[in-house]
Amino acid sequence: MIETGLVRKPTEKHPTAFQATQLTPTTFLIKEYDDIYSEHPFIYVKIVAQANLVVVIDTGCGGASSNSNIHDIGLREFIEMVDIDVNDGKPLNREGKMNYTVVITHCHYDHILGVEQFSDSTILASSRDFPFLLPSALPDSSLCKGMGIHTPSYISTLVPHLYSIPECAVLILHTPGHTPDEVAIYDSAEKMLYVGDSVYEDEDIIISNQGSITEWLASITVLISLVNAENQKQDSGVIREVLINAGHCTAGKPALEVLKAGKAFMLDVINRKEPIRKRAVIWGEENVYYRQERGRFSLRCPARLVLGTA
């Protein structure tokens, strides 16, 4: 629990860098809409009341804003002390009375800069590429070193593919591509799929310098199969469609359509049906940019992944 008495509570004149909306009866989207890095990450909070548990998916950029009108508090403080209109005017986890399980979709800085606030909690991450997440590797893997910012120090439990969080019907899947450690999270009770930075709309999908388009395509194919199967299941005689929630931009949309459309765009890139819009050196390597004519999907990736050259 955070000692809220030491923190000045936000007001309408001095709001926080976070805004919360409700996605399902148990799940909330927290948008870090005004962070100092202009990343605007999406953070998800699921309340599992029967298990006295709050599941947090990613922790964002830490809550700092360059706007002097923004009250500088962290994600955990926001969850525990800020009244949320769509939660009956109460904080999501008042005074930290419920425990936390934090799932990190991948280790890039805009998903982990708030994780130290949950150092007393269970933190889950992918076991697929253990060296990528070693403390000695994390400054580079997280991009914190390149950004010249503090690399969070935290201890995570590395979980296998198809790991189920014991207290709830939430499944963690290894979905490498964007990064080697990317995971997706599927909440079968609410039929909500969380995909981190694997796919979203209206901003560049990024395959990092350590990523792989081949692995990305395989991961998206796995998710399409999962969603296809789940979309056929009935709940009390009613079929509910799985919705997709990404680390940026996209939330609460039909998962199957977004996944299929994103995959089709990536295949067009690979098959040279999409022209290169721009080239730039990113983190020491030439990257190429693609964007659909109408702009729904776009991509930035190392040139060697699509052109066969460094």
Side-chain angles (χ1 to χ4, degrees):
M1 183 179 75
I2 286 181
E3 188 62 54
T4 56
L6 300 177
V7 181
R8 180 169 58 84
K9 193 166 184 176
T11 65
E12 290 185 4
K13 290 184 178 180
H14 293 279
T16 74
F18 304 101
Q19 293 177 339
T21 56
Q22 190 169 24
L23 296 178
T24 77
T26 68
T27 304
F28 297 81
L29 163 62
I30 297 177
K31 296 181 181 180
E32 192 169 357
Y33 68 95
D34 199 4
D35 63 277
I36 59 176
Y37 309 102
S38 298
E39 292 285 355
H40 316 300
F42 284 11
I43 300 158
Y44 300 93
V45 173
K46 177 179 174 64
I47 310 299
V48 189
Q50 68 275 18
N52 195 44
L53 180 70
V54 176
V55 177
V56 178
I57 299 175
D58 287 333
T59 64
C61 290
S65 171
S66 55
N67 185 340
S68 61
N69 290 323
I70 294 295
H71 188 67
D72 188 2
I73 68 170
L75 173 64
R76 184 163 178 174
E77 292 167 321
F78 178 82
I79 292 171
E80 294 183 2
M81 65 178 282
V82 175
D83 297 334
I84 306 299
D85 289 341
V86 292
N87 190 46
D88 297 325
K90 299 178 295 185
L92 297 177
N93 186 21
R94 186 188 294 275
E95 298 178 349
K97 292 181 178 178
M98 290 184 283
N99 300 320
Y100 292 100
T101 290
V102 178
V103 185
I104 302 297
T105 63
H106 63 290
C107 70
H108 279 168
Y109 68 95
D110 53 320
H111 298 259
I112 66 168
L113 288 183
V115 73
E116 289 180 328
Q117 301 162 31
F118 299 89
S119 60
D120 60 346
S121 307
T122 299
I123 301 171
L124 305 179
S126 171
S127 67
R128 181 182 175 275
D129 193 335
F130 173 75
F132 191 72
L133 297 179
L134 284 172
S136 58
L138 194 60
D140 288 314
S141 299
S142 66
L143 307 179
C144 288
K145 182 178 179 181
M147 293 286 293
I149 59 178
H150 167 68
T151 303
S153 176
Y154 61 99
I155 298 174
S156 56
T157 300
L158 303 184
V159 299
H161 181 54
L162 300 179
Y163 175 83
S164 181
I165 297 177
E167 299 91 341
C168 55
V170 173
L171 193 68
I172 299 176
L173 304 92
H174 291 183
T175 53
H178 170 63
T179 60
D181 67 319
E182 184 82 44
V183 300
I185 299 97
Y186 181 58
D187 178 356
S188 61
E190 296 285 2
K191 302 194 84 166
M192 300 288 273
L193 177 67
Y194 305 90
V195 296
D197 282 4
S198 288
V199 62
Y200 42 73
E201 305 155 292
D202 304 320
E203 286 189 11
D204 293 339
I205 298 169
I206 296 173
I207 307 297
S208 70
N209 289 3
Q210 299 83 16
S212 165
I213 288 180
T214 300
E215 290 180 345
W216 185 94
L217 285 168
S219 295
I220 296 299
T221 300
V222 167
L223 294 179
I224 288 172
S225 296
L226 170 69
V227 172
N228 261 323
E230 291 295 305
N231 278 353
Q232 305 306 313
K233 293 181 180 179
Q234 294 188 10
D235 181 8
S236 302
V238 176
I239 294 178
R240 292 187 295 133
E241 189 173 18
V242 175
L243 301 181
I244 194 169
N245 305 283
H248 305 269
C249 303
T250 298
K253 292 193 174 183
L256 190 60
E257 194 279 329
V258 173
L259 290 168
K260 285 186 172 181
K263 181 179 179 180
F265 165 68
M266 192 69 77
L267 289 173
D268 283 346
V269 168
I270 293 172
N271 293 322
R272 311 290 177 91
K273 294 181 180 180
E274 288 283 348
I276 296 173
R277 305 287 183 176
K278 187 174 68 170
R279 296 173 183 258
V281 175
I282 308 293
W283 306 113
E285 182 168 357
E286 184 187 27
N287 276 231
V288 287
Y289 291 74
Y290 299 84
R291 180 174 294 276
Q292 286 181 323
E293 194 65 37
R294 296 184 180 180
R296 180 186 182 189
F297 290 104
S298 57
L299 169 70
R300 190 197 89 200
C301 70
R304 60 182 162 76
L305 297 184
V306 288
L307 304 178
T309 63

